[in-house]
Amino acid sequence: MKTLSIRRPDDWHLHLRDGGVLAGVIGDTSRHFGRAIIMPNLVPPVVTTEDAKAYRERIMAAVPAGDRFEPLMTLYLTEHTQADDVEEGKKSGLITAVKLYPAGATTNSHGGVRDLDKVMPVLERMAKIGLTLCVHGEVTTPEVDIFDREAVFIEEKLEVIRRRLPDLKVTMEHVTTKEGVDYILGADRNLAGSITTHHLIINRNDILVGGIRPHYYCLPVAKREHHRQALRKAATSGDARFFLGTDSAPHVDPLKECACGCAGIYTSINTMSCLAHVFEEENALERLEAFTSLNGPAWYGLPANDEMMTLEKREEAVVYPSKIDTEAGLITVFDPKFPLHWAVR
Ligand code: DOR
Ligand code: ZN
């Protein structure tokens, strides 16, 4: 049997939610991942260090007994965020990054940033203290086509932020375009990007051909095939600037399967099987560890996990549930549309 041993992976972009959903999904992450950067877009969002502390406690209380898991907390940047609070959060060791959601870009982002000038004092402080800005890189201007939102954000917003604050470390989260990949490759420092599992597997046809498939709808929305190919090349290249951020984003089925369905794909449970498949297809299995377990911690200035994970390629396909059952309702699991033979031992 073919096996592969890698350092235990981390997830550098994860939605855990709260309450019944949190309780239902946390085990799927803590089973495989040592750490995860936790997104703050709850209702209401996690805006202060105090909010993050309380949320961290709720997460830790939900981790199944026996699992070793460390949530890395983020703050949701608003036009009212206080630089001193952010600095205190970083100094106390609680806060790993601050998240910029352009207002209206995605789920629970209405409290996000409309005017970048208003958050400049906070960004300046972050540059000074070495705290990373995680960016949902899409403009929300109604005139801009949804498939162009990322490319336009890079040109009109990200480039401006980075010119004004060259010392600010920026993670371009869930990169979905060739323009995003090229922008990261062209930066000499202080820029890296996370890539999701699903954007390596689906393109926009998967959402729209033969009927609307709400369980493949996420934001940034999946793009054309050549973008998916660029993402695969970047993820499997071993380049230290690219690492895994699943953006696993659970929504209960009624909120996905309706006239105005939520964005988000739930991948925590089968991500490692999917990624091993993708990396094998790209003849890059020896670089899976860099993507899932080494590049992310290096970027965030943390050691790689001590523990190892072994993946094995089985004759029989590994079967994951098509849905998970939570106190809040059923959540559909990402279907990669190919059989998965790599299993986590
Ligand atoms: O698909 C997404 N779902 N993209 C995001 O940016 C947010 C996320 C969520 O919170 O559901
Ligand atoms: Zn996300």
Side-chain angles (χ1 to χ4, degrees):
M1 194 191 300
K2 210 157 145 185
T3 65
L4 178 69
S5 278
I6 60 171
R7 292 281 191 135
R8 191 163 189 229
D10 301 300
D11 184 349
W12 301 96
H13 180 135
L14 176 67
H15 298 268
L16 286 177
R17 318 297 189 205
D18 223 333
V21 175
L22 167 62
V25 302
I26 179 75
D28 287 342
T29 289
S30 63
R31 193 177 309 129
H32 292 166
F33 297 89
R35 296 164 289 200
I37 285 199
I38 311 300
M39 287 300 123
N41 61 334
L42 305 182
V43 189
V46 179
V47 289
T48 64
T49 293
E50 203 181 303
D51 296 340
K53 189 161 175 267
Y55 185 31
R56 186 180 195 282
E57 280 162 16
R58 299 199 295 281
I59 293 169
M60 290 312 287
V63 174
D67 283 3
R68 269 183 69 184
F69 175 70
E70 195 189 347
L72 303 172
M73 307 309 291
T74 59
L75 294 177
Y76 182 115
L77 183 63
T78 76
E79 294 177 3
H80 309 286
T81 299
Q82 298 295 311
D84 285 347
D85 183 57
V86 169
E87 179 161 359
E88 202 179 294
K90 149 110 171 127
K91 276 193 180 145
S92 71
L94 179 73
I95 300 301
T96 299
V98 172
K99 173 78 187 236
L100 166 65
Y101 286 106
T106 187
T107 310
N108 303 328
S109 63
H110 42 271
V113 176
R114 276 160 227 281
D115 179 358
L116 276 174
D117 284 338
K118 296 213 171 110
V119 296
M120 271 300 158
V122 176
L123 301 187
E124 277 160 20
R125 184 75 68 88
M126 288 169 60
K128 195 167 144 208
I129 63 177
L131 185 59
T132 302
L133 179 70
C134 288
V135 173
H136 182 110
E138 291 193 288
V139 292
T140 55
T141 339
E143 296 75 48
V144 176
D145 189 279
I146 192 163
F147 292 97
D148 299 332
R149 283 176 161 201
E150 182 171 296
V152 175
F153 182 88
I154 293 169
E155 248 180 68
E156 292 183 358
K157 308 284 177 188
L158 191 50
E159 182 58 18
V160 174
I161 297 175
R162 295 187 55 248
R163 280 232 183 105
R164 276 169 79 167
L165 294 169
D167 291 333
L168 180 66
K169 275 183 79 168
V170 178
T171 307
M172 234 189 110
E173 302 207 275
H174 42 51
V175 180
T176 61
T177 57
K178 180 167 189 313
E179 287 89 340
V181 166
D182 290 345
Y183 185 66
I184 291 166
L185 291 174
D188 54 350
R189 67 189 189 109
N190 285 341
L191 185 65
S194 66
I195 299 178
T196 76
T197 308
H198 48 278
H199 286 109
L200 296 172
I201 295 173
I202 59 167
N203 66 26
R204 65 194 205 174
N205 280 1
D206 293 291
I207 313 168
L208 295 170
V209 171
I212 291 184
R213 318 272 175 182
H215 297 292
Y216 292 124
Y217 174 61
C218 64
L219 288 170
V221 69
K223 309 294 193 296
R224 287 176 181 275
E225 177 62 9
H226 81 268
H227 295 291
R228 186 180 76 104
Q229 291 302 334
L231 297 173
R232 280 196 167 216
K233 198 169 164 209
T236 59
S237 68
D239 189 310
R241 291 169 289 188
F242 297 101
F243 43 82
L244 174 65
T246 64
D247 198 8
S248 182
H251 293 279
V252 293
D253 283 352
L255 296 178
K256 296 279 298 170
E257 300 167 2
C258 57
C260 182
C262 293
I265 300 182
Y266 185 66
T267 56
S268 290
I269 192 169
N270 59 4
T271 272
M272 292 310 295
S273 292
C274 289
L275 289 175
H277 181 103
V278 166
F279 275 66
E280 187 176 44
E281 266 182 357
E282 300 291 326
N283 291 315
L285 269 179
E286 72 282 6
R287 291 191 287 275
L288 178 64
E289 183 182 43
F291 182 68
T292 61
S293 318
L294 304 177
N295 295 348
W299 168 249
Y300 283 101
L302 297 166
N305 290 313
D306 290 333
E307 305 103 312
M308 301 295 288
M309 166 185 276
T310 300
L311 293 139
E312 57 189 31
K313 191 173 182 187
R314 296 185 183 156
E315 196 74 44
E316 295 248 312
V318 197
V319 180
Y320 288 94
S322 60
K323 294 175 191 292
I324 61 160
D325 202 358
T326 76
E327 284 162 35
L330 293 173
I331 293 167
T332 294
V333 170
F334 174 61
D335 174 6
K337 295 201 272 188
F338 46 70
L340 293 166
H341 289 273
W342 284 96
V344 177
R345 190 183 275 170

